[in-house]
Amino acid sequence: MEKVKCECGHLNPYGTHLCESCGKPLDERDKQASMVDMRYEGVARRSQTYNKTVVDKIWNFFSSVKVGVTIIVLTLIASSIGTIFPQEMYIPGNVDPAQHYEEEYGIPGLIYYTLGFHNLYGSWWYMALIAGLGISLIIASLDRVVPLYRALKKQKISRNEGFLKRQRLFGVTETEQAEDVLEQSKEHLRRKRYNVKVEDGSLLAEKNRFARWGPYINHIGLILFLTGCMLRFFPGMYVDELVWVREGETQAVAGTEREYYVKNEEFFIETYDENDETFGPALERAGGNQIKTYQTNAVLYKSSGGTVGTEPELTKVKSDSIEVNHPLRFDDYALYQYDYKLNELNVMSLSMNNRESGEKIGTIDIDLFDPEGEYDLGNGYRVVIESYFPNFEFDENGEPSTISDIPDNPAFIFRMFSPEHPDEGEYSFVAIRSNEDIFGENTYEMSFEGVETKNVTALKVRKDHTLPFLIAGGSIFMIGLIQGSYWSHRRIWLRRFGNELWAAGHTNKHWASMKKEFQALSEKTGMTVPEDKQAKKAMEEHTSDGRDDNNGRT
């Protein structure tokens, strides 16, 4: 499109409302208006000028403030819905999510799961909202900041009469000492830390231009912050997993692709000494023992590789104690003390006995996490585990089932073989405080002998490469917020026409403070204080409304 030439000789991009150089109104509506719109200095914005190609239409769509606000509202609504019930990452890992939501929260929970809200923050459509918001921020900022920067950079000192008269603050001073007033004004404004430029009887005093960039710096901060949020869903950028390790066992560190392993050598809890003179009274008031330390003595290993299906070759990296707020750090990971379980059932010992004579045939030790299918007691006696229920309960149909794989309430259906019953064997159901002869004809029974327990520690695995984005984004956002809130971009124009001195002023906010600047300038130079057109218009409308009300009552 052709450029628009102003009478000052400057060529303006098509769609410009105010000449970038002298400020003369170029649009007929601006020529008829009493005040010009100075939000973007009247510059041509791409979104308001081009609308032909697909790129133009996409640009115009995302540059709209209404579209940006709509995306923000939709994101807030979606985020709120995601907090109604816990996300899938916060429910027990050994349960079926669909069943869990329905059993815990009923029909609303089932609907919540079916619609995908159980994993909302990682869903493609939520990511699309975040991406859309980021695109809107980028395009809306570029659509405004680039032409605004160009207009402020190219502005002339001497401004067109039409520009000056159409400013919100405008006034004319008639004096034969106009040149002296102009000189006094220059010195006064420089003392007020204005950047003052004078040229051929015209003066431009500008202060705090950097405040105009505050909103756009906000946008940069938000874009960085949103980038950090989205990167959390990229592999390798963010890990927040939980690994349970029993004493004496070694487990792969979640999120490391089985590169690292951790061994729990010991977990213990330390309490404060009730006899300690320092803490004794406080412990008595608190009602007894209070936890002082949760500690896991851990060993970190690194896998040296190995054949698929075989045990990995582990090389010790280091040993350390893991306490609350004292994690074990390695590479970009950290292992935090997160939870624990004391005295978890680990090995259960049972004996096979003759029911009539009480003779003990033999004892078996069952690893509750990895039980063997058959135990040979010798002399023709053996025990087969037909069914194992780590966390026993009866289901809706009255059949034995298990809640989870954790042996909190183990139960077994045993099949006992003996010389008397070498082929079919005898069936027995054994649980904690329960030992039943299923068919009521058994010669032998399984009896509880003892149990071995272990402490279990829960370690939170953390890795966060997105944190620098979040910190930088949040910091930049706060800088932009302060920059745009506490400072205002102020400009004062003075131009001498013979014995007249025209004065105009503009600020992007804090108009009362701007008026005080002119009042101080008037007291120093005797110049007439410019009139506030907007305040005058509001007063006239208020007066007119009052007259209409009085006429109505009359």
Side-chain angles (χ1 to χ4, degrees):
M1 295 184 182
E2 295 183 0
K3 291 192 174 184
V4 180
K5 186 175 182 179
C6 178
E7 64 180 24
C8 71
H10 181 74
L11 291 175
N12 298 279
Y14 178 82
T16 303
H17 295 277
L18 301 176
C19 176
E20 294 177 335
S21 179
C22 69
K24 178 183 177 181
L26 303 177
D27 187 89
E28 288 300 324
R29 288 178 297 180
D30 293 318
K31 292 179 181 178
Q32 301 299 323
S34 60
M35 289 186 292
V36 292
D37 185 358
M38 293 288 290
R39 283 180 300 172
Y40 307 110
E41 303 292 311
V43 296
R45 289 164 48 201
R46 179 189 176 96
S47 61
Q48 296 181 343
T49 306
Y50 302 95
N51 193 27
K52 290 185 176 180
T53 66
V54 175
V55 174
D56 292 337
K57 295 182 184 299
I58 294 174
W59 182 279
N60 297 347
F61 176 80
F62 282 106
S63 67
S64 170
V65 174
K66 292 182 179 179
V67 170
V69 171
T70 301
I71 295 175
I72 291 174
V73 171
L74 290 175
T75 304
L76 290 175
I77 292 174
S79 301
S80 301
I81 294 174
T83 63
I84 294 176
F85 299 126
Q87 291 289 290
E88 184 177 358
M89 67 180 73
Y90 297 113
I91 68 174
N94 53 8
V95 300
D96 178 47
Q99 182 179 356
H100 174 81
Y101 281 99
E102 184 176 8
E103 291 180 352
E104 292 291 328
Y105 311 110
I107 298 300
L110 179 61
I111 296 174
Y112 191 82
Y113 176 82
T114 304
L115 294 179
F117 292 125
H118 66 292
N119 192 24
L120 184 143
Y121 304 110
S123 62
W124 68 267
W125 59 269
Y126 189 81
M127 288 294 101
L129 282 176
I130 298 297
L133 180 57
I135 293 171
S136 177
L137 287 171
I138 293 172
I139 293 180
S141 298
L142 292 176
D143 188 61
R144 292 160 175 81
V145 72
V146 173
L148 177 61
Y149 172 80
R150 185 176 63 243
L152 291 175
K153 185 178 181 180
K154 292 182 178 180
Q155 64 178 335
K156 281 187 176 181
I157 299 171
S158 179
R159 304 295 267 180
N160 181 270
E161 299 95 312
F163 175 84
L164 297 175
K165 288 191 295 184
R166 288 172 175 81
Q167 293 300 312
R168 175 174 169 175
L169 298 180
F170 174 72
V172 178
T173 302
E174 294 186 5
T175 175
E176 295 181 357
Q177 288 82 33
E179 187 171 349
D180 294 337
V181 172
L182 189 65
E183 185 65 26
Q184 294 173 13
S185 300
K186 179 181 73 172
E187 297 302 324
H188 174 77
L189 291 171
R190 278 179 176 168
R191 286 195 295 271
K192 290 286 187 178
R193 299 184 179 180
Y194 277 83
N195 180 20
V196 181
K197 297 179 182 179
V198 179
E199 178 184 86
D200 298 331
S202 297
L203 177 147
L204 168 61
E206 187 176 15
K207 187 177 184 179
N208 302 333
R209 183 191 292 188
F210 69 90
R212 292 292 287 272
W213 315 127
Y216 307 108
I217 291 177
N218 283 349
H219 290 178
I220 293 174
L222 282 173
I223 291 167
L224 279 175
F225 193 89
L226 292 174
T227 300
C229 292
M230 294 184 65
L231 286 176
R232 288 195 164 200
F233 297 94
F234 282 75
M237 292 298 294
Y238 180 75
V239 175
D240 186 10
E241 301 285 351
L242 194 64
V243 56
W244 289 86
V245 190
R246 297 172 184 86
E247 286 181 331
E249 294 187 4
T250 302
Q251 293 288 343
V253 178
T256 65
E257 302 297 332
R258 307 187 74 84
E259 180 182 3
Y260 288 96
Y261 288 75
V262 62
K263 180 180 180 181
N264 175 9
E265 291 197 321
E266 181 187 15
F267 173 80
F268 64 89
I269 293 176
E270 183 181 354
T271 59
Y272 287 97
D273 186 0
E274 294 183 359
N275 299 320
D276 191 307
E277 295 181 359
T278 304
F279 302 106
L283 292 173
E284 186 176 348
R285 288 193 298 270
N289 289 341
Q290 297 295 316
I291 304 297
K292 180 180 181 181
T293 303
Y294 303 90
Q295 181 172 320
T296 300
N297 293 332
V299 180
L300 181 70
Y301 295 96
K302 186 173 184 179
S303 173
S304 302
T307 308
V308 177
T310 63
E311 291 294 323
E313 299 178 6
L314 301 180
T315 304
K316 182 178 177 180
V317 178
K318 62 178 176 179
S319 300
D320 199 359
S321 60
I322 304 175
E323 302 176 28
V324 176
N325 297 326
H326 178 72
L328 188 157
R329 299 184 183 276
F330 59 98
D331 286 353
D332 297 322
Y333 296 89
L335 293 175
Y336 289 87
Q337 185 65 55
Y338 184 79
D339 202 352
Y340 68 94
K341 184 178 181 181
L342 298 178
N343 302 320
E344 182 181 75
L345 299 178
N346 187 63
V347 176
M348 182 175 285
S349 299
L350 298 103
S351 62
M352 180 177 175
N353 303 320
N354 187 297
R355 298 184 67 180
E356 293 184 0
S357 65
E359 178 189 359
K360 180 186 292 188
I361 306 302
T363 302
I364 62 174
D365 297 322
I366 302 176
D367 184 343
L368 297 177
F369 292 94
D370 187 21
E372 298 179 16
E374 181 177 327
Y375 297 85
D376 189 357
L377 300 178
N379 299 322
Y381 295 94
R382 58 192 176 94
V383 177
V384 174
I385 299 179
E386 290 288 329
S387 298
Y388 171 46
F389 312 97
N391 198 353
F392 170 71
E393 71 165 5
F394 287 106
D395 62 17
E396 298 175 353
N397 300 320
E399 298 291 332
S401 65
T402 185
I403 300 173
S404 66
D405 294 331
I406 306 300
D408 291 330
N409 183 28
F412 304 86
I413 295 179
F414 292 112
R415 190 177 181 185
M416 301 172 290
F417 293 89
S418 63
E420 297 92 329
H421 305 281
D423 297 324
E424 296 182 358
E426 300 175 327
Y427 289 88
S428 176
F429 175 80
V430 178
I432 295 177
R433 297 183 181 179
S434 179
N435 191 337
E436 298 182 14
D437 181 350
I438 295 179
F439 299 107
E441 301 175 350
N442 287 354
T443 304
Y444 298 91
E445 65 179 2
M446 299 299 296
S447 300
F448 178 78
E449 289 288 328
V451 67
E452 177 186 320
T453 63
K454 284 186 177 182
N455 294 335
V456 189
T457 185
L459 302 176
K460 176 68 75 171
V461 186
R462 284 285 177 86
K463 174 186 176 181
D464 195 351
H465 283 169
T466 68
L467 200 57
F469 290 89
L470 301 178
I471 293 175
S475 301
I476 292 172
F477 178 85
M478 290 305 300
I479 291 171
L481 183 65
I482 294 171
Q483 179 178 335
S485 300
Y486 291 96
W487 286 274
S488 56
H489 179 211
R490 301 178 184 179
R491 281 174 293 173
I492 294 175
W493 295 277
L494 300 178
R495 185 172 180 183
R496 180 169 59 85
F497 294 94
N499 292 333
E500 290 185 349
L501 185 66
W502 286 24
H506 178 265
T507 179
N508 63 326
K509 61 172 69 69
H510 306 153
W511 285 93
S513 180
M514 186 67 178
K515 293 177 188 178
K516 290 181 180 180
E517 294 276 33
F518 273 112
Q519 290 172 357
L521 187 60
S522 175
E523 294 172 0
K524 188 68 177 178
T525 64
M527 183 181 68
T528 302
V529 177
E531 182 181 54
D532 186 343
K533 295 181 181 179
Q534 186 165 308
K536 181 181 178 182
K537 182 180 179 181
M539 182 63 70
E540 290 174 350
E541 291 177 352
H542 177 73
T543 304
S544 176
D545 292 342
R547 289 172 182 169
D548 292 341
D549 291 342
N550 290 332
N551 292 334
R553 284 193 292 271
T554 302

